[in-house]
Structure formats: C-alpha cells, structure tokens
Amino acid sequence: MRLIHAGQAMVLAVFVFLLTGFQATIAHAQSGESILNSRCGSCHEREAGGGLNRISEIRKTPEGWDMNIVRMDLWHGVKIPAEERRALVKYLSDTQGLAPEETADWRYILEKRPSAIDVTPDGHLAEMCARCHTYGRFALQRRDEGDWLKLVHTHVGQYPTIEYQALARDREWWKIATTETPKALAKAYPLNTAAWDKWKNFKAPDMAGDWRVTGHTPGKGDYQGSMSVSSKGNDQYNDNYSLTYANGEKNNGRGAGILYTGYEWRTSLTMGGMDVNEIATVSADGNAIMGRWFDSNHDEIGGDFNAVRQSKTAAAVMAVSPPYIKGGETAKLSISGVGLTGDIKLGSGIYVVRTISESADRIVVEARASGSAKAGAREVTVGNAGGGLLTLYKSVDSVAVEPSYAIAR
C-alpha cells in the first residue's frame, strides 16, 4: 500500500487540475477579479492600497497559485467550483505572476525533469528550507519580508515538529527562522523587482498559427513534425500535432492549452494513446516555444519539446539528427527547421556528399567527415537559417546511462 501525505496530495491535485480539463472555458480576466473579491475577500481583509491581505503580498507561478487554492480547501474547507478556480489561477498568474527572468533558473522544477539536481545557491536557505522540499519550491515565489515571516509561522503551525528535525537541533532554530531567514528570503526573492515591473504589462502573444516542432524522447530518439494552434479566446487554444520519429514511427495528437503570464505555456493532450502534459516557455516575440512534455500519470516519462512559428520570413535550423558524425566516416543526417533554402553548410571538415531529399522544413543528406578534421561541435546552416549543431568525434570516451540516479528524492 502506498501512502500519500497531504503535501504530496496537494501537488498532485495541482498538476492534475492545471494540465487537464482545458475543454472547460476559463472566465474572462475581469470575472477572475470579481471571484477573487467575492470568494477570497470574505476572509482576507481589504488593505489600504486596495488589495487583499496576504494575497497581495505574493507572486507565484500558475502551479503555485493553484496550490494556494488547494491549500485553502484542505486547511479551511473552502470549496471553489472548477470553473472559478481556473479563472482565479489565470487572473492571479497574469497579475501577480513571475517574469521570465525570475523562473529561468528553476524550469527543471516546473517541467518535472527527473534527472535534474536541485540547485541550492544559498547555504543558509538550503539548510533552513530546502532540507524538506526543493529549493525551487520557494525560489518560484516572491514575497515581502513580512509575508516570508508569516510563512515561517505557517510552517510551524502546520508542522510543529519541524524545529526538532535534522539540521535544527544544533542551533537556535526559532530565533534564526524568525529573524535571519525572512530577511534572507526577502533579499533573494523580493516581492518588488525590476524584472516584474518591466514584464507585468506585457501583452500576451497570439499563439494561433502553424508551428514546426522538433524534440527528443529518451529511449525512442529524435522526432520532428508540425503543430497547428487555433484560438478559443482569452489565451486558450486548441492544438493538433503530427510527429514522426527518426525510426519512422508516427504519432498524432490533439488537445488544448492556455498561456499564463504572457509566456507560461500549459497544454493537455492525447498523443499516441498517451495522456500528455506539456510545460514550456514562449519567447517574448511569440515565435518560439521550448520546454518538456510528459506522461500525465508518470512524469518521469517524457521528452524535450521545441517549436518555431512558421512564416514567410522565418528561417532556423532547429535540429540535426543524429547530432554527431565520426571523423573519416559517412552518415545520413536529417536537418529539421523552417525556411530551409540555400546552401547547406555542416561546418569545418564535414561535407555534403549528396542530398537525398529536400523541403523547406526538412533536408536529408549524406555527409562525410574528414578523418583529419578537429573534433568538436560545428554550427549547421542552410542559407540564412542557422542554429543547428553537429559534433564531429574521433572516438567514444565514455558511455553514460541517464538519469544517473533514482527518480525518488
């Protein structure tokens, strides 16, 4: 029998909710504000500045905000209908979210990458906070010092034995937790930042259109294909995928997604008979997506995902498969991207022997690498399209199995 404590159940509920059930229409942002005032304002007092106590002193990711709503249910019995919950998460993420720079170092947490090592840049916070959960759990939040202190009190109230656990018995834990720790948190992850001031009024891009997709699935290999996105309004979309793996296997999928905070892309779809969740970031110009997809029931199973918007002017080499060639040998290479027209250049010491097939989004060539060429990575370009990488190697130095350690933390 497997036991799941309340914290695990909360995280599970958050991801199930955020990344499934997109067929339900999220209410307009203004409705999210009215729901916040009516549902949350009944307990959270109105502040002089117009915001609600505690809520206005926090910024979070979509998953973080949804976790708050789940917590209100678990701890206080606050029942919020699914449609209102979605509207609240959308409104709070858009108005009190995190800027791209503020989530950049912690994407592995959001994308649920099983082989990532949790980064702990601050020793004090690693000992005081990251000894129970990931460092990224609090690094993906922003609060003022007063609210960080309230979070300390919340922890002690909910988990009274925290003061007597490991790394707490050899120090004046309570004094440190209520004086030094809130200051350190407020300094590292403050509520007000220049990044958010710059980003908070950013106009979300329209994701509708045709996209070129590439990626890699551990155990299956590289894939390439297309994605068609149509708008349902209010940053909600329908998605259709058509992908082909290097071994010829084809996967079609369809689902729906939503764009939070102008760049946080969340999609739920069915792909090749598998229920899949996708978490990614959208570039500021709205023309590129990068992230990870995973089995909604087993998030350790998944792959990298990259997409570039197709247009008359778009030109980019997105992937080369395989991304390596041995010196002195000939190999078949597949170059995927958009706007692939013009001369094919594989880098110093690597030459195109013949072109097997050619289109604007995929070129297959037979290439040969000189035996005397220097080992290393080269940029692959096709006309004006660049960005691809191809590595020339002389011998295999080592073989590694990934992930290099168990999934469990």
Side-chain angles (χ1 to χ4, degrees):
M1 182 174 73
R2 184 185 179 194
L3 299 178
I4 300 178
H5 61 64
Q8 291 175 315
M10 185 187 301
V11 173
L12 177 62
V14 167
F15 279 96
V16 168
F17 176 82
L18 274 179
L19 301 173
T20 58
F22 278 122
Q23 299 305 320
T25 301
I26 296 178
H28 188 272
Q30 183 59 40
S31 296
E33 183 178 12
S34 63
I35 293 168
L36 179 72
N37 291 328
S38 60
R39 290 281 186 179
C40 308
S42 59
C43 293
H44 292 262
E45 295 180 350
R46 180 71 58 185
E47 296 181 329
L52 296 177
N53 181 257
R54 293 305 305 278
I55 298 174
S56 298
E57 285 84 36
I58 303 173
R59 291 192 289 115
K60 289 188 173 186
T61 63
E63 288 78 11
W65 279 120
D66 195 62
M67 195 176 294
N68 262 72
I69 297 173
V70 173
R71 187 179 296 116
M72 292 301 100
D73 183 3
L74 292 176
W75 291 358
H76 306 297
V78 178
K79 305 297 181 182
I80 298 190
E83 185 175 344
E84 292 189 9
R85 179 174 161 186
R86 291 187 180 93
L88 276 174
V89 172
K90 171 63 175 165
Y91 175 76
L92 288 167
S93 299
D94 288 350
T95 58
Q96 294 174 223
L98 299 183
E101 298 95 316
E102 294 175 314
T103 66
D105 292 338
W106 315 103
R107 299 308 304 183
Y108 65 90
I109 297 288
L110 294 172
E111 295 169 6
K112 303 176 78 66
R113 293 185 177 272
S115 57
I117 297 175
D118 194 36
V119 178
T120 56
D122 185 298
H124 169 78
L125 295 179
E127 291 181 355
M128 295 297 289
C129 307
R131 62 187 173 90
C132 291
H133 50 63
T134 63
Y135 195 99
R137 175 72 172 268
F138 56 88
L140 285 169
Q141 301 182 38
R142 297 295 183 273
R143 303 168 184 259
D144 59 21
E145 184 179 335
D147 208 81
W148 281 119
L149 175 59
K150 290 175 183 177
L151 188 62
V152 172
H153 283 272
T154 299
H155 277 64
V156 176
Q158 290 295 321
Y159 313 107
T161 62
I162 190 173
E163 185 174 355
Y164 306 104
Q165 296 172 0
L167 298 179
R169 302 172 187 175
D170 62 341
R171 67 199 68 192
E172 294 184 273
W173 188 89
W174 177 247
K175 180 181 178 181
I176 296 171
T178 54
T179 56
E180 297 178 23
T181 301
K183 285 183 171 60
L185 286 165
K187 181 179 179 180
Y189 309 109
L191 178 64
N192 300 310
T193 66
W196 179 245
D197 286 342
K198 181 180 178 180
W199 183 263
K200 63 183 178 183
N201 295 318
F202 178 78
K203 180 176 173 54
D206 182 2
M207 302 299 293
D210 295 323
W211 298 75
R212 180 69 174 150
V213 176
T214 62
H216 179 83
T217 304
K220 295 186 69 173
D222 297 336
Y223 65 84
Q224 52 84 30
S226 61
M227 174 179 71
S228 176
V229 179
S230 59
S231 176
K232 298 195 295 182
N234 194 31
D235 296 332
Q236 296 177 87
Y237 300 91
N238 286 322
D239 313 324
N240 286 279
Y241 294 76
S242 179
L243 308 177
T244 302
Y245 279 88
N247 63 3
E249 177 186 336
K250 295 183 181 297
N251 270 338
N252 294 324
R254 63 187 304 169
I258 186 168
L259 186 66
Y260 294 98
T261 330
Y263 74 100
E264 290 284 11
W265 181 247
R266 304 291 187 269
T267 300
S268 173
L269 65 147
T270 300
M271 177 74 73
M274 179 190 298
D275 291 332
V276 171
N277 298 329
E278 190 174 277
I279 297 180
T281 59
V282 178
S283 61
D285 61 9
N287 292 325
I289 308 173
M290 180 177 291
R292 180 175 182 263
W293 61 266
F294 50 84
D295 185 332
S296 60
N297 295 312
H298 298 280
D299 54 58
E300 69 276 13
I301 300 173
D304 292 322
F305 172 85
N306 300 288
V308 172
R309 189 189 298 273
Q310 292 185 327
S311 68
K312 294 180 180 179
T313 59
V317 176
M318 299 172 63
V320 180
S321 179
Y324 50 79
I325 185 171
K326 187 175 183 179
E329 295 189 355
T330 300
K332 186 170 74 171
L333 304 176
S334 173
I335 305 170
S336 299
V338 293
L340 302 181
T341 59
D343 294 336
I344 303 169
K345 297 181 180 180
L346 304 178
S348 175
I350 309 176
Y351 312 96
V352 175
V353 176
R354 66 186 179 97
T355 300
I356 300 173
S357 63
E358 188 173 8
S359 69
D361 55 22
R362 185 167 181 258
I363 299 174
V364 179
V365 300
E366 182 180 332
R368 182 167 183 79
S370 170
S372 61
K374 184 179 179 180
R378 275 87 164 149
E379 182 183 12
V380 174
T381 62
V382 180
N384 295 324
L389 288 179
L390 177 62
T391 298
L392 187 153
Y393 73 98
K394 297 298 183 70
S395 63
V396 177
D397 295 325
S398 63
V399 176
V401 177
E402 294 183 345
S404 58
Y405 59 91
I407 300 297
R409 183 171 182 273

